[in-house]
Amino acid sequence: MHDPRQLLDPDVDAAAKLRRRGYVLDTDHLGKLVSRRSSVIGEGDQARAESKKAAAEVGAAAKRGEDVTALRERARELKNRISRLEEEQREVEAELNEFLLGIPNLPLDEIPDGATEEFAEEVRRVGTPPEFGFEPLDHVDLGERAGFLDLTRATKLSGPRFAVFKGAGSRLQRALAQFFLDIHTGEHGYTEFSLPSLVTRQTMTGTGQLPKFEEDLFRTGVAERELFLIPTAEVPLVNLHAGEILPLEDLPLRYTAHTPCFRSEAGSYGKDTRGLIRQHEFSKVELVQFVEEERSREALDEILAHAEAPLQRLGLPYRVIKLAAGDTGFSAQITFDIEVWLPSQGTYREISSASDTGVFQARRANIRGKGKDGKRAQIATLNASGLPIGRTLVAVLENNQQADGSIRIPEALVPYTRFEVINPDGSTS
């Protein structure tokens, strides 16, 4: 939740910042809502003070034996006025909250202008794309020819944008998840969680998925109970501390989880519909950090490096880009994308996003910080994919394919797969 005072502060110039990401802030409407709320609160405080005084006057007059009929009527009128003002305050606060929930995070000045990925700023490239003496196949052809990927039966079960794996494909998926978790928990200091895949509307609102992206979410429920399938483990990980005060001496908190993720990808039909790039259900290892606000930019560099580490161990070529303001996610104030090289497409494709949301999510989820000395502090949250299983599997298959249709497993992954090669017939060795 934004602080409306910050949005209206001329020194912040929030309207100009938000225009960079294509959002027009109606400052007049916001100003009227804030003014109305202040006025109602002021009137309510005054009415309560008058009511307290009137009650004292009734008591004093009664003790003196005087007629208190008029005074009691005045006291009743004040109580009724207080009730009306409290209801009006609830209404204006609900309207203000609804307005604020639809406003995206303010982008940092350092990110480039622009509304699409072509305006992104390349930060670095790591590794060299492989050269093949043959026409490389895409992951679908590699997986289906070897028999460990079955998209046809997945469609029979659930419709388009789902996948079925078996044999070496299933083992490779499981190996990648364990590989990622071992790196992040064993070397980067993250605590692993097992989490629900169904969460409440309030939980989705805390991280910014609602109300803005409701059409992209899978929703379910029983009787009057409404629940949403998580699009990423970021949602439950951040909201673990919703409504809490975090001891500053415990920061930073580093959390990770491997979960299924569900996205309707509304509006993206016709784009990346072949294979595993854009699925309705996929799994991912997510990284989340809680830090003091002033440390968030430093922590972003750290969590980005943590997300890159598995790619480096796997020997996969990739690049890092800084997204333009208009292409940055709703909750983020700055985002770096990691893009892995896909030989079949001859280009880099997104495999991870590392974002600093500043205090945006913490304010929405009412997460605060407090030190032993009583010092209060704003909490910032950060997140990164560390990494998605499906897209990493795509990159492993395509970058390590051989002329005979076999796929070599990266050395770092062999202790997890317990095989070095997936043969063209799907067997392993």
Side-chain angles (χ1 to χ4, degrees):
M1 184 76 68
H2 282 288
D3 181 347
R5 294 169 299 180
Q6 181 191 40
L7 295 177
L8 294 171
D9 187 343
D11 293 334
V12 174
D13 201 2
K17 293 179 185 295
L18 289 167
R19 278 197 298 272
R20 296 182 65 213
R21 57 186 308 160
Y23 183 89
V24 178
L25 177 63
D26 189 342
T27 52
D28 287 342
H29 182 56
L30 176 59
K32 289 176 182 177
L33 287 174
V34 172
S35 177
R36 182 179 159 207
R37 182 183 65 172
S38 297
S39 176
V40 171
I41 290 173
E43 289 180 40
D45 289 343
Q46 182 180 349
R48 278 185 284 273
E50 291 179 11
S51 178
K52 184 177 180 180
K53 181 181 178 182
E57 289 176 349
V58 169
K63 284 183 179 180
R64 292 193 299 268
E66 299 175 0
D67 183 359
V68 296
T69 303
L71 289 174
R72 282 177 174 166
E73 180 61 28
R74 170 63 176 160
R76 280 194 292 270
E77 289 176 357
L78 285 168
K79 287 182 178 180
N80 289 336
R81 175 168 171 73
I82 290 168
S83 179
R84 290 194 300 270
L85 287 169
E86 287 176 345
E87 177 61 26
E88 187 177 352
Q89 181 180 339
R90 285 192 290 270
E91 290 175 357
V92 70
E93 286 182 342
E95 187 176 352
L96 176 60
N97 287 344
E98 182 180 4
F99 182 82
L100 293 172
L101 286 173
I103 302 173
N105 204 348
L106 304 182
L108 295 185
D109 293 338
E110 72 172 87
I111 66 178
D113 289 326
T116 61
E117 60 186 18
E118 66 183 356
F119 294 97
E121 176 186 308
E122 184 171 305
V123 177
R124 59 179 170 273
R125 295 191 181 198
V126 178
T128 303
E131 294 184 4
F132 299 98
F134 57 91
E135 186 67 27
L137 300 176
D138 73 3
H139 66 283
V140 176
D141 289 336
L142 288 166
E144 290 188 334
R145 288 187 183 188
F148 62 78
L149 173 63
D150 193 333
L151 298 177
T152 301
R153 286 192 172 95
T155 300
K156 178 173 67 175
L157 293 173
S158 307
R161 305 282 192 87
F162 292 90
V164 166
F165 289 90
K166 70 176 183 179
S170 295
R171 189 170 188 88
L172 185 54
Q173 281 196 310
R174 179 157 49 92
L176 284 167
Q178 189 63 59
F179 176 62
F180 298 157
L181 288 169
D182 282 355
I183 291 174
H184 298 314
T185 59
E187 301 176 25
H188 298 153
Y190 287 80
T191 300
E192 182 181 356
F193 284 81
S194 295
L195 302 161
S197 296
L198 289 166
V199 298
T200 65
R201 176 174 289 271
Q202 182 178 1
T203 298
M204 283 288 192
T205 302
T207 40
Q209 278 71 29
L210 289 176
K212 175 71 172 176
F213 300 107
E214 187 155 355
E215 68 172 3
D216 281 329
L217 302 172
F218 283 100
R219 180 173 55 189
T220 186
V222 176
E224 299 299 317
R225 189 175 185 185
E226 176 190 57
L227 292 168
F228 293 84
L229 288 161
I230 60 171
T232 166
E234 168 200 344
V235 175
L237 283 174
V238 168
N239 282 281
L240 285 171
H241 293 299
E244 296 181 14
I245 298 175
L246 302 181
L248 297 181
E249 58 271 17
D250 291 347
L251 302 181
L253 297 177
R254 299 185 181 96
Y255 294 166
T256 187
H258 172 227
T259 66
C261 305
F262 305 88
R263 298 180 186 178
S264 72
E265 301 286 1
S268 64
Y269 289 91
K271 180 182 180 183
D272 292 330
T273 56
R274 176 176 166 83
L276 306 176
I277 298 297
R278 199 176 292 272
Q279 296 263 291
H280 289 317
E281 179 181 356
F282 58 98
S283 67
K284 180 160 62 86
V285 171
E286 185 73 2
L287 307 176
V288 162
Q289 290 196 20
F290 298 82
V291 301
E292 289 191 59
E293 180 183 11
E294 57 267 24
R295 275 208 66 240
S296 70
R297 187 60 184 82
E298 173 189 347
L300 177 59
D301 292 335
E302 178 184 79
I303 202 171
L304 175 61
H306 293 165
E308 292 180 66
L311 292 174
Q312 295 170 4
R313 305 285 181 86
L314 294 172
L316 295 173
Y318 67 91
R319 70 171 187 164
V320 177
I321 60 173
K322 185 189 296 183
L323 295 189
D327 198 31
T328 299
F330 180 84
S331 296
Q333 60 181 7
I334 179 172
T335 295
F336 289 95
D337 269 5
I338 304 172
E339 298 183 336
V340 71
W341 178 259
L342 295 186
S344 68
Q345 299 184 19
T347 191
Y348 293 94
R349 296 299 305 272
E350 179 197 341
I351 194 170
S352 175
S353 289
S355 296
D356 172 10
T357 74
V359 302
F360 184 82
Q361 290 181 333
R363 285 184 59 86
R364 290 171 74 104
N366 191 26
I367 303 170
R368 295 157 290 163
K370 185 177 181 180
K372 288 181 178 179
D373 58 358
K375 171 193 172 186
R376 295 184 179 273
Q378 295 273 18
I379 299 296
T381 60
L382 304 98
N383 63 82
S385 301
L387 297 159
I389 309 306
R391 291 195 182 193
T392 307
L393 186 145
V394 168
V396 167
L397 296 179
E398 293 197 6
N399 282 279
N400 292 281
Q401 61 183 296
Q402 308 298 305
D404 64 355
S406 65
I407 299 132
R408 292 199 173 275
I409 302 303
E411 183 178 349
L413 202 56
V414 170
Y416 295 87
T417 60
R418 297 204 294 274
F419 56 78
E420 298 179 355
V421 178
I422 302 176
N423 298 309
D425 63 357
S427 64
T428 58
S429 55

